[in-house]
Amino acid sequence: MRLKRCLAVASLVALSMSAGAADINQIQTLTQSEFHALTQDLGAALSYKPLTPAEPLGLFGFDLGLAATDTKIKNTDVFQKAGAGDISDVAVPSLRFNMGLPLNLDVGVMAGGVPGTNVRLYGGEVRWAFVKGSTTMPAIALRGSFTQLAGVDQLDFSTRGVDLSISKGFAFFTPYGGIGKVWVTSTPKDLPASTPNPPTKESLSLNKGFVGVNMNFVFVNLVIEADKTGEDTSYGLKVGFRF
């Protein structure tokens, strides 16, 4: 059911995602503990999701795809109080592009947002496969990543991440998995001057683990992934081309 939902959400990425009634625009109403909870959930939902195996693309190889992730959030009441409406999931459709460089390095970028809200997002990664992998050996890679929130006037929000991943191809299937850490920085801004006790900056770190499978059918590449960052679980799907 979640995969069907992700695929449906992915089709929205090409549409205009104008701000609506579900904007996050009531940060001033949150207590510090509520703002901490919001930061945790946003960190899980908006941090960088790999959606690619550890093996390098090779010089000038590329991976272009339309993706969507769906994160089941823990603090639905806090999101509602912050102005995001009555939601239990944060769905993020995005466009993603990865390219292979020399020395088994890959770089990637992504851009997306949450439909029906003022949440916009961009990010990127640098990944080094220090074990390239072969027919008998798995590939092992170290990745550094970031995401930056845009569109939410009351919030300066970003994530930084590092993870270690491993993958091994079998015919056109390449299972992969990894562990890592995500650092989240969330700072309220431009709150109404009349706010009596506004929340202040939160900086926290979240443990991360993920598993997935990349399936390459010559002309179409499909990725399915499950990710747990902090206490929240995300499911992701990417459809595109990988050469």
Side-chain angles (χ1 to χ4, degrees):
M1 181 62 70
R2 281 191 179 276
L3 293 179
K4 290 180 180 179
R5 185 175 182 178
C6 282
L7 185 58
V9 170
S11 65
L12 298 174
V13 75
L15 301 177
S16 173
M17 296 184 291
S18 59
D23 288 354
I24 296 177
N25 57 12
Q26 297 295 318
I27 298 294
Q28 72 276 10
T29 67
L30 303 182
T31 65
Q32 192 64 40
S33 62
E34 289 171 336
F35 185 66
H36 179 84
L38 180 74
T39 299
Q40 287 182 312
D41 280 337
L42 287 177
L46 304 183
S47 56
Y48 196 88
K49 305 298 187 290
L51 292 169
T52 189
E55 65 184 34
L57 287 164
L59 185 60
F60 302 130
F62 72 91
D63 186 331
L64 175 65
L66 177 65
T69 60
D70 184 71
T71 304
K72 181 72 173 179
I73 60 175
K74 296 287 186 180
N75 302 283
T76 57
D77 55 334
V78 174
F79 273 76
Q80 186 170 17
K81 188 175 179 181
D86 185 13
I87 62 171
S88 59
D89 301 76
V90 175
V92 183
S94 62
L95 288 171
R96 303 174 68 102
F97 178 72
N98 290 71
M99 186 175 70
L101 299 176
L103 304 176
N104 298 327
L105 286 170
D106 285 7
V107 295
V109 294
M110 61 80 67
V114 179
T117 77
N118 55 353
V119 174
R120 307 291 178 269
L121 184 71
Y122 62 89
E125 67 162 300
V126 176
R127 179 164 39 89
W128 174 44
F130 57 91
V131 177
K132 182 179 179 180
S134 66
T135 55
T136 58
M137 288 289 294
I140 306 175
L142 182 66
R143 178 191 353 256
S145 63
F146 80 96
T147 60
Q148 178 68 50
L149 178 68
V152 181
D153 294 338
Q154 292 188 339
L155 192 60
D156 184 2
F157 179 94
S158 64
T159 74
R160 301 292 182 269
V162 62
D163 65 72
L164 184 69
S165 62
I166 184 170
S167 68
K168 178 68 177 72
F170 302 94
F172 55 88
F173 289 89
T174 304
Y176 65 90
I179 56 173
K181 200 85 170 178
V182 175
W183 292 270
V184 185
T185 303
S186 184
T187 307
K189 64 175 184 177
D190 300 330
L191 301 183
S194 58
T195 304
N197 295 295
T200 58
K201 179 179 178 179
E202 289 279 351
S203 297
L204 51 91
S205 62
L206 305 172
N207 293 323
K208 178 183 183 67
F210 57 92
V211 294
V213 60
N214 186 94
M215 295 169 280
N216 195 297
F217 302 102
V218 183
F219 295 110
V220 177
N221 194 74
L222 176 66
V223 181
I224 300 171
E225 182 178 286
D227 175 288
K228 187 173 180 63
T229 299
E231 298 182 357
D232 297 340
T233 300
S234 304
Y235 296 91
L237 180 69
K238 184 177 74 173
V239 180
F241 307 95
R242 181 182 175 94
F243 295 100

